[in-house]
Amino acid sequence: LGNTCYMNSVLQVLNTIPEFVNCYSKAEWLDRGDLTDPASDLTLQLAKLCQGLNSGVYSREGEEAVLREEGSQPGVTPIMLRQLVGKGHAEFSSNRQQDSQELFLYLLELMERAHKKSNSQAPITCLQFMAEDRTECTASGQVRYKQRLEDYLPLPVPMEAATNMAEVTDYLARKAEVEAKGERLPGDDLVRAKIPSASLVEAFLQEEMVEDFYSSAINSKTTAKKTIRLATFPNYLMVQLLKFRVDENWQPVKLDVEIDMPEQLDLSSLKGKGLQEGEVKLPEDKQEESAPVNIDENIVAQLVDMGFAREGCRRAVFNTGNSGVEAAMGWVMDHMGDPDFSSPFTPGGNKAGGAKKCTAGEEVIGMVMSMGFSREQAEMALRNTDNNVERAIEWIFSHPDGEDAVSVESGDQQPGQGNVSDGDARYELSAFISHMGSSSHSGHYVCHIKGQDGKWVIFNDNKVAVSMKPPMELGYLYLYKRAGL
């Protein structure tokens, strides 16, 4: 299958969620699957995988002769699913290593799209929550609250919070000295920064200054203070630690740190409160929306080659007006920690009261129209599929009523808000995915899952074993479930 440990880890973790298992264990997905073209039926392929993993056939104790010959028990080989997920995607269609968090988000997107075709509910709402953005104009003191649907919680890693900074500084100095001589320090000499998990939550709670903020209160640009909270708490919460960033030479690096992620996590401090007594809402923004920018994919490709998430790169190129790699890289450095950095990006924005704009060229629009669709349908589909012709045509068939309503101010009903779960903010760790290596485009992924008997099990491709001391401090993605579930 190529380098697919990132995919194995994500699918194994998703398979621990009851909603996922209950959905794809149904015989109906196999009965009504598109048997004329099964390779294009995502629900069918997920059902095959889910039912195979939960059948028990692949979890029996292996025969000694086979284990000696193969090194492990033969497992499920989801070739058709792997090809389907990668179809039309520049990164996931390759045999190169990929970022497991990017795959997680892309899988949820594919699942939602596939279930719309069958007028059914994708088993992803248990992971989704409403984030609350609060923006305060520094000139007027007036505020704006907006809610948006999110699939994961990104937590920044504050290196300055390390409790062993002196030891780390000494180690880095010795490492640089030895490497200058063309040598290497022994692996046993490695010193990782130890960062308390509480400092990650504290960093998330901090205000962010927004430059060039257009204030509708003063009808001009000023600065603003922005904070993010959770308006709802899902049954299952995927937490990403933002370990990948750029160094002083603008090269992507991974933070080799230890973070004492707890088995019990209380996120009550992240609870959003909405408009408070005495706060004054900013007037509706009447600023004219600027003309859309056609994103230069050559600049995007150069940034992606450096190891950054494609959607974040597209954001960077868009927000710097195609002014070059250096400007876009600067934007990436400033915004890598943004919660929506890796989320799907549509140029032109998604302002309340206005539709997203289509930035596809006339040739691309014409290709879609040549299939018998109107220009309006073509532009609508392209702006919702990142200008991908094949996905745009599929989007038209799966959205006979057109686009969903756009997002609105906090307090009004949001798309998907009626389906997300909400409840207590206390969680228990149920699984985590670890990455071994210095870059998201190299190395190896494994996952650890907590069984019903309380034992931790490691899934390393098709090698499965009890983990006596799971390295929770070295994880990258953590799946928490609401306490008591």
Side-chain angles (χ1 to χ4, degrees):
L1 290 179
N3 291 312
T4 54
C5 55
Y6 66 96
M7 181 175 290
N8 173 65
S9 297
V10 171
L11 289 169
Q12 292 284 7
V13 169
L14 286 176
N15 194 57
T16 67
I17 300 176
E19 285 81 354
F20 183 90
V21 176
N22 293 339
C23 175
Y24 294 117
S25 292
K26 296 176 182 177
E28 63 186 75
W29 300 118
L30 303 183
D31 293 340
R32 71 181 185 189
D34 188 355
L35 300 181
T36 59
D37 188 16
S40 297
D41 191 333
L42 183 70
T43 53
L44 171 62
Q45 298 304 327
L46 286 172
K48 285 167 52 183
L49 175 66
C50 180
Q51 293 178 36
L53 290 176
N54 293 286
S55 67
V57 174
Y58 300 94
S59 56
R60 296 170 183 167
E61 188 173 347
E63 298 179 9
E64 289 188 17
V66 175
L67 293 175
R68 281 197 301 270
E69 182 74 20
E70 303 290 337
S72 63
Q73 173 84 335
V76 180
T77 308
I79 297 176
M80 296 176 78
L81 175 61
R82 187 238 191 277
Q83 293 174 340
L84 177 55
V85 170
K87 185 178 180 180
H89 194 286
E91 299 300 325
F92 298 133
S93 61
S94 73
N95 286 327
R96 298 187 298 271
Q97 184 65 280
Q98 303 298 331
D99 188 328
S100 61
Q101 189 265 347
E102 289 186 38
L103 175 71
F104 167 73
L105 292 179
Y106 188 57
L107 266 178
L108 297 193
E109 179 186 335
L110 291 181
M111 289 162 62
E112 188 168 29
R113 197 184 308 160
H115 279 267
K116 280 185 178 179
K117 286 184 179 180
S118 59
N119 292 317
S120 57
Q121 178 66 58
I124 63 175
T125 54
C126 60
L127 288 159
Q128 296 178 317
F129 61 93
M130 301 304 298
E132 177 186 280
D133 295 328
R134 179 186 184 274
T135 307
E136 178 181 339
C137 168
T138 56
S140 66
Q142 296 181 16
V143 299
R144 174 178 295 131
Y145 286 86
K146 285 192 174 181
Q147 292 186 4
R148 52 188 164 80
L149 190 65
E150 283 294 344
D151 303 312
Y152 74 108
L153 177 66
L155 293 181
V157 180
M159 293 298 293
E160 65 276 9
T163 57
N164 61 335
M165 188 61 75
E167 291 88 341
V168 172
T169 302
D170 177 66
Y171 165 73
L172 293 176
R174 287 189 289 113
K175 182 172 180 284
E177 182 180 348
V178 169
E179 289 180 348
K181 300 176 183 178
E183 302 173 359
R184 281 188 172 185
L185 284 175
D188 293 341
D189 288 0
L190 175 65
V191 177
R192 294 189 178 97
K194 299 180 185 294
I195 301 177
S197 58
S199 66
L200 276 65
V201 176
E202 292 171 5
F204 182 87
L205 290 169
Q206 296 302 307
E207 288 182 337
E208 171 195 355
M209 291 302 298
V210 180
E211 304 294 336
D212 291 329
F213 173 75
Y214 180 83
S215 172
S216 54
I218 62 174
N219 293 320
S220 66
K221 287 188 176 182
T222 180
T223 57
K225 295 183 290 186
K226 181 180 178 180
T227 56
I228 302 170
R229 298 292 185 267
L230 272 64
T232 64
F233 290 90
N235 286 338
Y236 287 83
L237 178 66
M238 184 67 82
V239 176
Q240 179 200 19
L241 304 191
L242 300 177
K243 289 187 172 183
F244 296 102
R245 57 178 62 176
V246 292
D247 60 16
E248 61 276 5
N249 298 317
W250 289 11
Q251 295 300 310
V253 295
K254 175 188 170 185
L255 301 179
D256 195 4
V257 296
E258 293 182 12
I259 302 172
D260 60 340
M261 292 299 287
E263 288 201 60
Q264 282 76 41
L265 180 65
D266 189 344
L267 295 177
S268 301
S269 60
L270 301 188
K271 179 67 176 176
K273 299 178 181 177
L275 189 69
Q276 298 294 293
E277 184 177 352
E279 291 183 331
V280 179
K281 292 179 64 174
L282 278 164
E284 288 295 324
D285 190 353
K286 298 180 181 179
Q287 183 189 28
E288 288 294 322
E289 199 170 299
S290 58
V293 177
N294 290 316
I295 295 175
D296 189 331
E297 291 297 335
N298 291 325
I299 301 176
V300 173
Q302 292 180 63
L303 295 175
V304 170
D305 287 343
M306 297 178 189
F308 303 111
R310 175 171 292 275
E311 294 304 309
C313 296
R314 297 182 74 247
R315 274 189 167 80
V317 176
F318 174 79
N319 284 289
T320 53
N322 292 326
S323 55
V325 175
E326 185 172 345
M329 176 65 79
W331 192 94
V332 167
M333 294 179 68
D334 293 335
H335 295 273
M336 281 186 69
D338 292 358
D340 60 349
F341 181 79
S342 301
S343 300
F345 175 61
T346 302
N350 188 21
K351 292 188 177 183
K356 297 176 287 188
K357 294 186 178 181
C358 175
T359 59
E362 287 298 321
E363 182 179 355
V364 176
I365 295 173
M367 291 173 67
V368 179
M369 292 176 64
S370 68
M371 302 297 292
F373 302 113
S374 67
R375 184 180 185 88
E376 182 182 6
Q377 286 177 305
E379 291 184 351
M380 186 186 302
L382 287 165
R383 66 174 170 249
N384 281 280
T385 56
D386 298 330
N387 298 335
N388 183 297
V389 173
E390 184 176 340
R391 288 172 53 201
I393 294 171
E394 182 181 340
W395 187 94
I396 293 174
F397 285 115
S398 61
H399 293 76
D401 298 325
E403 293 174 302
D404 296 328
V406 296
S407 298
V408 291
E409 293 282 338
S410 177
D412 295 327
Q413 186 71 7
Q414 293 283 317
Q417 186 174 3
N419 295 323
V420 299
S421 55
D422 191 19
D424 191 38
R426 291 175 299 168
Y427 289 90
E428 298 173 350
L429 184 63
S430 62
F432 64 96
I433 296 173
S434 305
H435 173 262
M436 295 171 282
S438 58
S439 167
S440 61
H441 289 174
S442 62
H444 184 59
Y445 284 97
V446 299
C447 68
H448 288 75
I449 296 172
K450 191 174 185 179
Q452 294 181 349
D453 57 2
K455 294 181 180 179
W456 284 92
V457 178
I458 181 174
F459 292 77
N460 180 5
D461 289 332
N462 64 324
K463 301 179 182 68
V464 182
V466 173
S467 178
M468 302 307 293
K469 191 178 180 183
M472 299 177 195
E473 70 281 2
L474 300 178
Y476 172 48
L477 298 176
Y478 294 80
L479 180 67
Y480 282 90
K481 68 176 181 179
R482 197 189 313 281
L485 280 183

